[in-house]
Coordinates of all heavy atoms in Angstrom, one line a residue:
D1 N -135.3 -20.6 44.0 CA -134.5 -20.5 45.0 C -135.2 -20.6 46.3 O -136.2 -20.1 46.5 CB -133.9 -19.1 45.0 CG -132.9 -18.8 46.2 OD1 -131.7 -19.0 45.9 OD2 -133.3 -18.3 47.2
W2 N -134.6 -21.4 47.2 CA -135.4 -21.8 48.6 C -135.6 -20.6 49.3 O -136.6 -20.5 50.0 CB -134.6 -22.9 49.2 CG -133.3 -22.5 50.0 CD1 -132.1 -22.5 49.3 CD2 -133.0 -22.1 51.2 NE1 -131.0 -22.1 50.1 CE2 -131.6 -21.9 51.4 CE3 -133.9 -21.9 52.3 CZ2 -131.1 -21.5 52.6 CZ3 -133.2 -21.5 53.5 CH2 -131.8 -21.3 53.7
K3 N -134.6 -19.6 49.4 CA -134.9 -18.4 50.2 C -136.1 -17.6 49.7 O -136.8 -17.0 50.4 CB -133.6 -17.6 50.4 CG -132.5 -18.3 51.1 CD -131.3 -17.4 51.6 CE -130.3 -18.0 52.4 NZ -129.3 -17.1 52.8
Q4 N -136.0 -17.5 48.3 CA -137.0 -16.7 47.7 C -138.5 -17.5 48.0 O -139.6 -16.8 48.2 CB -136.9 -16.6 46.2 CG -135.6 -15.7 45.8 CD -135.4 -15.7 44.4 OE1 -136.2 -15.6 43.5 NE2 -134.2 -15.6 44.0
Q5 N -138.5 -18.8 48.0 CA -139.6 -19.5 48.4 C -140.2 -19.2 49.7 O -141.4 -19.0 50.0 CB -139.5 -21.0 48.2 CG -139.2 -21.5 46.8 CD -138.8 -23.0 46.9 OE1 -138.9 -23.7 47.9 NE2 -138.4 -23.5 45.7
L6 N -139.2 -19.0 50.6 CA -139.5 -18.6 52.0 C -140.2 -17.3 52.1 O -141.1 -17.0 52.9 CB -138.3 -18.7 52.9 CG -137.8 -20.2 53.3 CD1 -136.5 -20.0 54.1 CD2 -138.7 -21.1 53.9
A7 N -139.6 -16.3 51.3 CA -140.2 -14.9 51.4 C -141.6 -14.9 50.9 O -142.4 -14.3 51.3 CB -139.2 -14.1 50.5
V8 N -141.8 -15.8 49.7 CA -143.2 -15.7 49.2 C -144.1 -16.4 50.3 O -145.2 -16.0 50.3 CB -143.2 -16.7 47.8 CG1 -144.5 -16.8 47.3 CG2 -142.3 -15.8 46.8
R9 N -143.8 -17.5 50.9 CA -144.6 -18.2 51.8 C -144.9 -17.3 53.1 O -146.2 -17.3 53.4 CB -143.9 -19.4 52.3 CG -143.8 -20.5 51.3 CD -143.1 -21.8 51.8 NE -143.8 -22.5 52.8 CZ -143.4 -23.6 53.5 NH1 -142.1 -24.1 53.0 NH2 -144.0 -24.1 54.4
A10 N -144.0 -16.5 53.4 CA -144.2 -15.6 54.5 C -145.2 -14.5 54.1 O -146.1 -14.2 54.9 CB -142.9 -15.0 54.9
V11 N -145.1 -13.9 52.9 CA -146.1 -12.9 52.5 C -147.4 -13.4 52.2 O -148.4 -12.9 52.7 CB -145.5 -12.3 51.1 CG1 -146.6 -11.5 50.4 CG2 -144.2 -11.5 51.3
E12 N -147.5 -14.7 51.6 CA -148.7 -15.3 51.4 C -149.5 -15.7 52.7 O -150.6 -15.7 52.7 CB -148.7 -16.6 50.4 CG -148.2 -16.1 49.1 CD -148.0 -17.4 48.1 OE1 -147.8 -18.5 48.7 OE2 -148.0 -17.3 46.9
G13 N -148.7 -16.2 53.7 CA -149.1 -16.5 54.9 C -149.4 -15.4 56.0 O -149.9 -15.6 57.1
G14 N -149.1 -14.3 55.6 CA -149.3 -13.0 56.6 C -148.3 -13.1 57.6 O -148.8 -12.8 58.7
I15 N -147.2 -13.8 57.5 CA -146.2 -13.9 58.7 C -145.2 -12.9 58.5 O -144.4 -12.8 57.5 CB -145.6 -15.2 58.6 CG1 -146.7 -16.3 58.6 CG2 -144.6 -15.5 59.7 CD1 -146.2 -17.8 58.5
A16 N -145.0 -12.1 59.5 CA -143.9 -11.1 59.7 C -142.6 -11.8 60.0 O -142.6 -12.8 60.6 CB -144.1 -10.0 60.6
V17 N -141.5 -11.4 59.4 CA -140.2 -12.0 59.6 C -139.2 -10.9 60.2 O -139.0 -9.9 59.5 CB -139.6 -12.7 58.4 CG1 -138.2 -13.2 58.8 CG2 -140.5 -13.8 58.0
F18 N -138.6 -11.1 61.3 CA -137.6 -10.2 61.9 C -136.3 -10.8 62.2 O -136.3 -11.9 62.5 CB -138.2 -9.6 63.1 CG -137.3 -8.6 63.9 CD1 -137.4 -7.3 63.7 CD2 -136.4 -9.0 64.9 CE1 -136.5 -6.4 64.4 CE2 -135.6 -8.2 65.6 CZ -135.7 -6.9 65.3
S19 N -135.2 -10.1 61.9 CA -134.0 -10.6 62.2 C -133.1 -9.6 63.1 O -132.9 -8.5 62.7 CB -133.1 -11.0 61.0 OG -131.9 -11.4 61.3
P20 N -132.4 -10.0 64.3 CA -131.7 -9.2 65.1 C -130.2 -9.5 64.8 O -129.4 -8.5 64.9 CB -132.1 -9.6 66.4 CG -132.3 -11.1 66.3 CD -133.0 -11.3 64.9
H21 N -129.7 -10.5 64.4 CA -128.3 -11.0 64.1 C -127.3 -10.3 65.0 O -127.4 -10.5 66.3 CB -128.0 -10.9 62.6 CG -127.0 -11.7 62.2 ND1 -126.2 -11.4 60.9 CD2 -126.4 -12.8 62.7 CE1 -125.3 -12.4 60.9 NE2 -125.3 -13.1 62.0
T22 N -126.5 -9.5 64.4 CA -125.3 -9.0 65.1 C -125.7 -8.0 66.2 O -124.9 -7.5 67.1 CB -124.3 -8.4 64.2 OG1 -124.8 -7.5 63.3 CG2 -123.6 -9.4 63.4
S23 N -126.9 -7.5 66.3 CA -127.3 -6.6 67.4 C -127.5 -7.4 68.7 O -127.1 -6.9 69.7 CB -128.7 -6.0 67.1 OG -129.8 -7.0 66.9
W24 N -127.8 -8.7 68.5 CA -127.9 -9.6 69.6 C -126.5 -9.9 70.1 O -126.2 -10.1 71.4 CB -128.7 -10.9 69.3 CG -130.1 -10.8 69.4 CD1 -130.9 -9.7 69.7 CD2 -131.0 -12.0 69.5 NE1 -132.2 -10.1 69.7 CE2 -132.3 -11.4 69.6 CE3 -130.7 -13.4 69.2 CZ2 -133.5 -12.3 69.6 CZ3 -132.0 -14.1 69.2 CH2 -133.3 -13.5 69.4
D25 N -125.5 -10.1 69.1 CA -124.1 -10.3 69.6 C -123.5 -9.2 70.3 O -122.8 -9.4 71.1 CB -123.3 -10.5 68.3 CG -123.7 -11.6 67.4 OD1 -124.6 -12.5 67.9 OD2 -123.2 -11.8 66.3
S26 N -123.9 -7.9 69.9 CA -123.1 -6.8 70.4 C -123.8 -6.3 71.8 O -123.0 -5.9 72.6 CB -123.2 -5.7 69.5 OG -122.7 -4.5 69.9
V27 N -125.0 -6.5 72.0 CA -125.7 -5.8 73.1 C -125.0 -6.3 74.5 O -124.7 -7.4 74.5 CB -127.2 -5.8 73.0 CG1 -127.6 -7.4 73.3 CG2 -128.0 -5.0 74.0
R28 N -125.1 -5.4 75.4 CA -124.5 -5.8 76.7 C -125.6 -6.9 77.3 O -126.8 -6.7 77.3 CB -124.5 -4.6 77.6 CG -124.0 -4.9 78.9 CD -123.8 -3.6 79.8 NE -123.0 -3.7 81.1 CZ -122.6 -2.9 81.7 NH1 -122.8 -1.6 81.4 NH2 -121.9 -3.0 82.9
G29 N -124.9 -7.9 77.8 CA -125.8 -9.0 78.3 C -126.4 -9.9 77.1 O -127.3 -10.8 77.4
G30 N -125.9 -9.7 76.1 CA -126.5 -10.5 74.8 C -125.7 -11.8 74.6 O -125.2 -12.4 75.5
L31 N -125.8 -12.2 73.4 CA -125.3 -13.6 73.0 C -123.8 -13.9 73.5 O -123.6 -15.0 73.8 CB -125.5 -13.9 71.5 CG -125.7 -15.1 71.0 CD1 -126.3 -15.3 69.6 CD2 -124.3 -15.9 70.9
N32 N -123.1 -13.0 73.1 CA -121.6 -13.2 73.4 C -121.4 -13.2 74.9 O -120.5 -14.0 75.4 CB -120.7 -12.2 72.7 CG -120.4 -12.6 71.2 OD1 -120.0 -13.6 71.0 ND2 -120.6 -11.6 70.4
D33 N -122.0 -12.4 75.7 CA -121.9 -12.5 77.1 C -122.5 -13.8 77.6 O -121.8 -14.4 78.5 CB -122.8 -11.3 77.8 CG -122.0 -10.1 77.7 OD1 -120.7 -9.9 78.1 OD2 -122.5 -9.1 77.1

């Protein structure tokens, strides 16, 4: 699975992954504004 591949690559490469998604949508002055 390509998403599982990405997770493995991130772990092996020592890369942290962060997602804000709907918190960016909701916050005042955020994506929807």
